Amino acid sequence: TVLDACRDWPRLAAQIAALEPRDVEGFLRFLAYAARLHRITGPVFIYDHPPTWRSFTRVPLPDMPAVEPWLNMDRAIRRYIRSPHLRQLLGRFATYVGASPFLAPATLNVIAHVELTGGVWYPQGGLYSLARALHKLAFDSGVDIRTRAEVTAINLRDGAACGVTLATGESIAASAVIANVDVATVYSRLLPQSGPKLAATRHSVLNRKTSGSGFALLLGVTKTFPDLAHHNIFFSADYRREFADIFTHGRPPADPTIYVAITSKTDPEHAPPGHENWFVLVNAPPVGDQFDWNAKAPAYRARVLERVATFGYDVRQSIAEEHMLTPLDIARNTAAYRGALYGISSNQALNAFRRPHNRAAGVARLYFAGGTTHPGGGVPMVILSGKVAAELALADR
């Protein structure tokens, strides 16, 4: 079964009708439901400073029931959609925060509104063009940017951040420190290990359930597949089992849903003529004792490429360049705790209130940005986290 989630509504509606005629109106009702969630939760829980329990007082009383924190995403989707294929597609949005649609709260269906109504946008040149733009803006504003300068400690004086120490031994003084590495890594590796308040915060952060991780292959493919798009998802046959493998059994799914992005479809310069660049991503558990990536990664790589081949896209004999990333690699390369991509798990209903604040607990003038603090993971949310951290730092001056 093939569904092209295109911008052309009549064309998309015809495809939905072929799956289940009643889902055309059901899909429109679902979009209205997701838009309502965005209207209610966006200003309070996403686009503002970190929410508190008092944030609920800013939600109009008649809107409260629509949030339905007691309902999971899948159950909410089933109220509107009958086709198992379309349910699977809409449940996919849980993975945008490293969660399971069978565990994550229905509130996260708000993500569907952002993508399906707001659209999918691509910065020409790729996502790294955003980094280049921010670099230019910072440089033009007089910011001194130092790369390849590993920070080994955040320095404190009288309980407040006063600078950082580099791996070379050099200390850099600062009136405030903003850390965009995983919050758990900051408390476990960059801050002093003594002191009861820091110890309590560290214990709390390190003992929360984490989001999922990912297994990725970056492939240079020596052929083209005209019927594939920029974004492609090859769904598993048993979605519930897939997420049980990840979050219950701590192992990568035997029958994974596989995402393949081919940016050369939009940016021809990203691959030579007659070639394609494939980014292949599979949801995986964070690093744990249940699966040894060092020993089993090659076999799992073969499994993933075999699964793609069963859909009619066999690239195994056409790979000119390859780079593999396991959760272990993600942990090593980015200092993400357990290789989790989004920090704290979103599989629990109220974890939006347990996500680490952008203002560090127990340390003055230390702030957090990135995917493990408010408002969450993914490039748009991370950019928002930087805005919040900057506003807090300026306010505290």
Side-chain angles (χ1 to χ4, degrees):
T1 300
V2 178
L3 176 70
D4 183 6
C6 57
R7 295 174 61 182
D8 182 341
W9 167 243
R11 183 173 158 222
L12 178 59
Q15 294 180 79
I16 293 174
L19 296 176
E20 165 55 67
R22 289 169 290 186
D23 278 350
V24 175
E25 55 201 273
F27 186 75
L28 290 173
R29 288 199 305 270
F30 175 82
L31 288 181
Y33 154 74
R36 185 166 66 250
L37 281 179
H38 185 263
R39 173 179 58 80
I40 296 168
T41 64
V44 179
F45 302 109
I46 301 174
Y47 303 114
D48 201 354
H49 287 191
T52 66
W53 297 108
R54 292 181 180 176
S55 301
F56 279 108
T57 62
R58 294 169 53 195
V59 177
L61 196 59
D63 286 338
M64 284 281 193
V67 177
E68 301 177 308
W70 58 86
L71 206 63
N72 68 41
M73 290 180 70
D74 180 69
R75 286 179 59 197
I77 292 167
R78 286 172 179 270
R79 291 188 310 195
Y80 303 95
I81 304 298
R82 295 171 179 267
S83 163
H85 297 301
L86 198 53
R87 287 175 177 173
Q88 203 169 21
L89 176 67
L90 297 176
R92 171 76 180 173
F93 290 112
T95 67
Y96 285 34
V97 292
S100 162
F102 307 104
L103 298 172
T107 317
L108 289 179
N109 282 314
V110 68
I111 303 171
H113 168 76
V114 176
E115 178 161 310
L116 296 175
T117 303
V120 179
W121 297 87
Y122 176 76
Q124 203 66 23
L127 287 179
Y128 200 73
S129 63
L130 295 177
R132 292 193 184 98
L134 288 170
H135 175 276
K136 182 179 185 305
L137 180 62
F139 184 82
D140 291 346
S141 301
V143 176
D144 178 23
I145 297 175
R146 298 179 59 175
T147 60
R148 301 187 184 279
E150 180 188 355
V151 174
T152 56
I154 295 172
N155 304 328
L156 305 184
R157 184 187 302 120
D158 299 326
C162 62
V164 297
T165 297
L166 304 184
T168 60
E170 178 187 0
S171 291
I172 301 175
S175 59
V177 173
I178 297 178
N180 76 337
V181 73
D182 193 312
V183 172
T185 300
V186 172
Y187 280 103
S188 62
R189 287 165 46 183
L190 299 181
L191 288 173
Q193 301 300 295
S194 59
K197 192 163 187 179
L198 276 177
T201 302
R202 183 168 58 253
H203 180 271
S204 173
V205 169
L206 294 178
N207 283 277
R208 295 173 183 173
K209 290 184 177 180
T210 62
S211 75
S213 184
F215 172 80
L217 297 172
L218 285 70
L219 308 176
V221 179
T222 60
K223 59 192 297 187
T224 61
F225 296 87
D227 53 336
L228 288 182
H230 183 137
H231 300 285
N232 310 272
I233 307 173
F234 303 101
F235 281 104
S236 64
D238 190 339
Y239 220 31
R240 192 176 291 274
R241 179 186 172 188
E242 177 180 354
F243 287 101
D245 279 344
I246 296 171
F247 293 107
T248 303
H249 305 298
R251 64 195 180 207
D255 178 17
T257 292
I258 302 168
Y259 167 67
V260 177
I262 310 173
T263 62
S264 56
K265 298 285 187 181
T266 302
D267 253 340
E269 294 184 358
H270 281 192
H275 295 61
E276 291 180 346
N277 64 324
W278 281 37
F279 172 76
V280 182
L281 179 66
V282 171
N283 295 313
V287 175
D289 297 332
Q290 297 95 327
F291 192 83
D292 184 352
W293 283 105
N294 282 324
K296 298 180 178 179
Y300 196 66
R301 168 201 176 274
R303 174 65 177 157
V304 170
L305 292 179
E306 178 188 12
R307 286 288 301 136
V308 175
T310 64
F311 285 89
Y313 306 100
D314 192 349
V315 297
R316 289 173 290 185
Q317 304 304 317
S318 307
I319 298 174
E321 299 286 343
E322 178 175 353
H323 187 67
M324 180 171 67
L325 290 170
T326 72
L328 278 175
D329 296 316
I330 293 168
R332 282 192 291 258
N333 295 345
T334 71
Y337 179 60
R338 298 183 62 199
L341 295 178
Y342 306 94
I344 185 174
S345 169
S346 293
N347 283 331
Q348 289 75 37
L350 299 178
N351 269 7
F353 297 94
R354 301 183 69 222
R355 182 170 288 279
H357 200 286
N358 302 83
R359 185 186 278 119
V363 181
R365 297 201 294 275
L366 173 61
Y367 308 89
F368 295 123
T372 62
T373 186
H374 172 78
V379 172
M381 304 290 253
V382 166
I383 296 292
L384 288 174
S385 79
K387 177 177 180 288
V388 171
E391 290 173 348
L392 294 175
L394 290 170
D396 290 348
R397 292 182 68 185

